[in-house]
Amino acid sequence: MCGIVGYIGGQEAWPIIYEGLRLLEYRGYDSAGIAVVDPHGNIQLRKTVGKVNGLDEDGAGPKPQGTVGLGHTRWATHGRPTHENAHPHTDCQKRIAVVHNGIVENYRELKRRLTDDGHVFESETDTEVLTHLVEEGMDQGLTFQEAFRRMGRMVKGSQAISAILQGDAAQICALRLGHAGGIVVAQSEGQTIIGSDLPALLPLLHTESNIGQVGFLETNEMAVVTRNGVDYQDLDGNPIVKQTRMVSQADVQVDKAGYQHFMLKEIMEQPQAVASAMRERIDFEARRVDLPDFPFTKQEIADLDRVILIGCGTSLHAAQVGRHLVERYGGLPAEAESASEFRYRNPYISPRTLVVSIGQSGETADTVAAMQMAKDKGGKLLTICNAEGSQATRIADGTLYMRAGIEIGVASTKTFLASLTILNLLAIFLGQSRGILDQEKSQELVDGLAQAPRLIGDLLADQANYRRIAQLYADFDYFLFLGRGVNAPIASEGALKLKEISYIHAEGYPAGEMKHGPIALIDNAMATVALAPKDFLYDKVVNNVKEVKARDGRVLAVLTEGDTELAAEVDHVLYIPEAPEHLIPLLATVPLQLLAYNIALLRERDVDQPRNLAKSVTVE
Ligand code: AGP
């Protein structure tokens, strides 16, 4: 959730760390802080409440000078977003500055003991125990590195921790514990940067080559960065030989390309995202799905007896759509479940179970933990993921990369459509491989998929219409999103988009469930968004729409072009083109994204960085 950046090199650390924090702000923006070791060897600290640019605006005089530093942008877990709780945190003697991403699960008992031993705490955070633990180790005669490792052995929980020490010997220690909170180390031309993820790091290496040597920390691994380079070691100090690779800045470039928000840019990129997800995975000559990156053999596919799809938030909605697709086209029993629930059950998983995790970041703590549990139980593990080299891709037996490009808007959009595309491919591939789909049916499905980028592009063309409809609904404070079958999770996704960026209360509901409770909410103050495209459940949804209209509800319907009959009965319509059934979830999502986006604009919300949220949820 939180973002970490550290720098050692020949340049001023402040502007580099500041820029890195701006790039990491999507992970959290409750407060920010930077610590720099000045030319006298003292730690200079500056913090702000709120977004990173507050560090520039607090009128605290000239920026701290020095070529070694550490920065943090926070998503608050323990302690409110205040100046005192902002990272970096220092020890009693102000010799050490620490930043942290994750939760110290045993911080209460550690804090009690440290307080009894005379350590003075200045914040309410769990993080601060880390600084005092390192201080305690150094007071006992350990070196900074030894004390840092000792601290790493004493704390419980999944987290990433980094610290700098005052003095002439430039040194940053960074540690990863458990599965949450990645740490990436990038080196180039005498400079080293550590940070929470790759896209935020490489642009910071202002080098001629624009290329960095990159290493990812695994669980219980530590990096010690000095002016001489990087040493990787385990928690006992044993050296680790780290596989690194060269990555260029072009691989991770991000900007808004003229759009007002990243979210809108990413919505507009969806035709390419969908096309890219299909690239080299469809043989258009043979009209077959071919997944060269699928990690299991024909025999293993034939032996599968069950598919479990897991994810969180938007990725959970993708999993729920995937369940329908796998059942329908893959011919296998399929379930979808939130990773945060799944990880604490004791599900039956065997080598014949295919567990598919879905995640934009590949770093969501619950998803990663659920994957590890499925792996420990012997399941076959596949991940559909956008972030290269992320935790999920390293745990899984294989990855189907979304290839959607970096997604910056906190509200996921293009990665959702990329996930749905890959889930279609996966379902068809399983059906083909297991002899469930005959050639004619699988060719028909593949031909349908090939139309998706064009149809999505058509849907994006009339932006003025989405703005017009949003104006009519922006004043409603309650929304019900209804859909059936494969479109029920799309209703949930529409509600999630609206609530997360506009802060309007919105519920996604399977339309058939409405009469079992939510119908009591219907009146003229409640807006209902009904997904009623022409599919085999159309007639059922029509009945649900009529039930809402009979109770004075306002209905905005998402209908298939040409459906004048239902259009006449509802208040407003957003049309999607006529399309094969497996494309409908993709197409129906687009108007809902643009409805949410335009309502959020009208309500003057912070679309790309809505309150309380973070792009990567790396804490439980
Ligand atoms: C999506 O709009 C949300 N910001 C959120 O629900 C997100 O999908 C969820 O946190 C899962 O993230 P992941 O895909 O990176 O695992």
Side-chain angles (χ1 to χ4, degrees):
M1 311 285 291
C2 305
I4 291 175
V5 188
Y7 176 83
I8 292 186
Q11 304 185 46
E12 281 301 316
W14 174 280
I16 293 171
I17 294 170
Y18 180 85
E19 194 184 334
L21 293 181
R22 298 268 306 195
L23 291 168
L24 284 172
E25 216 170 21
Y26 69 87
R27 300 173 70 96
Y29 31 82
D30 289 333
S31 65
I34 295 179
V36 173
V37 182
D38 73 15
H40 307 292
N42 299 319
I43 291 178
Q44 301 294 337
L45 203 59
R46 194 179 284 187
K47 297 180 181 184
T48 188
V49 176
K51 294 191 175 184
V52 173
N53 59 14
L55 289 169
D56 243 356
E57 292 165 1
D58 68 359
K63 313 277 179 313
Q65 307 253 302
T67 55
V68 181
L70 211 51
H72 187 267
T73 179
R74 178 170 188 242
W75 186 83
T77 59
H78 293 58
R80 291 172 54 76
T82 61
H83 196 273
E84 291 70 32
N85 291 334
H87 303 210
H89 291 285
T90 49
D91 61 316
C92 300
Q93 299 163 70
K94 311 279 180 258
R95 287 183 301 174
I96 302 149
V98 173
V99 294
H100 174 225
N101 171 24
I103 293 173
V104 184
E105 290 178 6
N106 54 339
Y107 88 98
R108 275 194 202 83
E109 59 194 80
L110 290 168
K111 186 168 177 175
R112 215 174 297 124
R113 185 182 63 70
L114 287 159
T115 308
D116 288 348
D117 290 348
H119 289 265
V120 178
F121 281 76
E122 294 181 348
S123 77
E124 305 156 303
T125 63
D126 53 336
T127 304
E128 202 183 335
V129 299
L130 305 171
T131 64
H132 295 286
L133 284 176
V134 178
E135 178 177 43
E136 182 182 63
M138 290 178 71
D139 286 347
Q140 291 169 5
L142 300 179
T143 65
F144 176 51
Q145 276 182 45
E146 287 166 347
F148 190 81
R149 282 201 303 270
R150 170 183 172 273
M151 172 275 295
R153 292 192 299 267
M154 293 174 83
V155 296
K156 290 190 185 141
S158 287
Q159 51 213 306
I161 306 163
S162 186
I164 52 170
L165 178 67
Q166 68 168 21
D168 304 335
Q171 196 169 159
I172 297 178
C173 288
L175 172 66
R176 172 176 201 159
L177 296 171
H179 294 295
I183 288 276
V184 188
V185 182
Q187 292 174 272
S188 184
E189 299 171 21
Q191 310 176 75
T192 306
I193 298 188
I194 63 119
S196 300
D197 62 37
L198 191 55
L201 287 202
L202 280 195
L204 310 182
L205 289 170
H206 297 290
T207 57
E208 283 185 12
S209 63
N210 285 337
I211 287 177
Q213 184 86 34
V214 169
F216 293 88
L217 287 192
E218 297 292 344
T219 295
N220 296 345
E221 285 185 359
M222 171 171 151
V224 179
V225 183
T226 63
R227 292 201 190 279
N228 299 328
V230 185
D231 284 333
Y232 293 96
Q233 45 187 261
D234 66 17
L235 280 178
D236 295 319
N238 302 309
I240 290 169
V241 181
K242 171 76 37 197
Q243 296 292 333
T244 57
R245 60 193 168 95
M246 302 301 287
V247 180
S248 83
Q249 288 193 21
D251 296 338
V252 293
Q253 217 91 75
V254 276
D255 68 60
K256 286 189 201 154
Y259 288 101
Q260 194 182 347
H261 295 101
F262 279 110
M263 182 181 178
L264 182 58
K265 174 186 173 238
E266 288 155 6
I267 289 172
M268 299 306 280
E269 284 172 350
Q270 292 183 119
Q272 296 94 293
V274 167
S276 169
M278 290 192 282
R279 183 165 36 87
E280 288 159 11
R281 292 176 175 148
I282 291 184
D283 178 343
F284 285 102
E285 284 288 301
R287 296 157 71 207
R288 276 179 68 80
V289 174
D290 185 14
L291 292 183
D293 33 8
F294 191 77
F296 305 113
T297 63
K298 275 193 163 154
Q299 190 54 53
E300 287 172 321
I301 297 171
D303 289 344
L304 291 176
D305 64 3
R306 191 159 150 246
V307 179
I308 302 174
L309 300 110
I310 54 172
C312 293
T314 290
S315 294
L316 169 63
H317 299 149
Q320 290 165 338
V321 172
R323 174 216 181 156
H324 285 268
L325 299 172
V326 169
E327 282 173 345
R328 196 178 299 168
Y329 306 126
L332 276 158
E335 305 152 39
E337 189 167 343
S338 121
S340 57
E341 289 295 317
F342 184 74
R343 65 179 287 194
Y344 290 115
R345 289 205 291 111
N346 185 16
Y348 175 76
I349 292 173
S350 79
R352 298 177 67 188
T353 312
L354 176 64
V355 177
V356 183
S357 81
I358 300 155
Q360 179 282 131
S361 61
E363 300 288 350
T364 298
D366 285 318
T367 307
V368 169
M371 289 175 71
Q372 191 61 53
M373 182 260 268
K375 189 172 185 170
D376 294 344
K377 284 176 174 279
K380 303 226 159 354
L381 200 55
L382 178 72
T383 189
I384 296 173
C385 185
N386 200 38
E388 228 188 290
S390 58
Q391 275 279 358
T393 65
R394 282 177 282 157
I395 294 176
D397 297 307
T399 302
L400 297 178
Y401 277 108
M402 294 179 193
R403 306 184 195 134
I406 292 162
E407 189 176 70
I408 296 290
V410 164
S412 295
T413 52
K414 63 177 178 175
T415 53
F416 182 62
L417 259 60
S419 304
L420 298 189
T421 307
I422 294 174
L423 287 161
N424 260 303
L425 293 173
L426 176 65
I428 299 168
F429 177 74
L430 291 173
Q432 279 174 190
S433 312
R434 294 168 55 84
I436 303 293
L437 289 176
D438 61 27
Q439 193 183 8
E440 195 185 339
K441 182 66 186 170
S442 77
Q443 288 184 338
E444 182 193 314
L445 292 169
V446 165
D447 292 350
L449 279 178
Q451 300 172 41
R454 173 179 55 79
L455 294 174
I456 294 165
D458 292 350
L459 268 177
L460 294 170
D462 192 1
Q463 290 292 322
N465 189 41
Y466 299 111
R467 283 197 291 274
R468 184 182 66 84
I469 295 285
Q471 261 158 6
L472 300 169
Y473 285 84
D475 291 333
F476 278 84
D477 288 326
Y478 307 99
F479 278 75
L480 193 59
F481 285 70
L482 301 176
R484 281 193 100 132
V486 74
N487 294 317
I490 302 302
S492 302
E493 175 60 9
L496 178 67
K497 286 288 91 85
L498 187 64
K499 73 181 99 170
E500 71 180 331
I501 61 169
S502 70
Y503 319 149
I504 293 172
H505 180 218
E507 294 277 349
Y509 237 80
E513 281 291 304
M514 190 189 61
K515 54 185 161 302
H516 301 291
I519 199 162
L521 299 170
I522 303 289
D523 60 17
N524 59 11
M526 165 76 86
T528 298
V529 180
L531 302 183
K534 280 280 168 77
D535 64 9
F536 79 102
L537 288 169
Y538 173 75
D539 293 336
K540 309 282 175 198
V541 186
V542 169
N543 292 337
N544 301 134
V545 168
K546 288 186 176 171
E547 288 155 12
V548 175
K549 282 310 302 171
R551 287 159 181 85
D552 280 342
R554 169 97 78 110
V555 177
L556 167 61
V558 176
L559 303 180
T560 304
E561 262 160 27
D563 184 358
T564 48
E565 209 178 314
L566 188 53
E569 300 206 30
V570 299
D571 297 280
H572 301 96
V573 177
L574 287 166
Y575 284 110
I576 60 169
E578 204 171 328
E581 284 203 5
H582 60 307
L583 296 196
I584 290 176
L586 286 91
L587 300 176
T589 301
V590 176
L592 303 188
Q593 294 169 337
L594 285 163
L595 179 72
Y597 173 75
N598 284 295
I599 289 180
L601 273 192
L602 289 165
R603 290 199 169 210
E604 298 181 354
R605 302 303 192 207
D606 190 343
V607 171
D608 283 334
Q609 295 182 333
R611 69 184 181 200
N612 304 338
L613 291 172
K615 184 76 179 159
S616 293
V617 184
T618 56
V619 292
E620 235 190 294

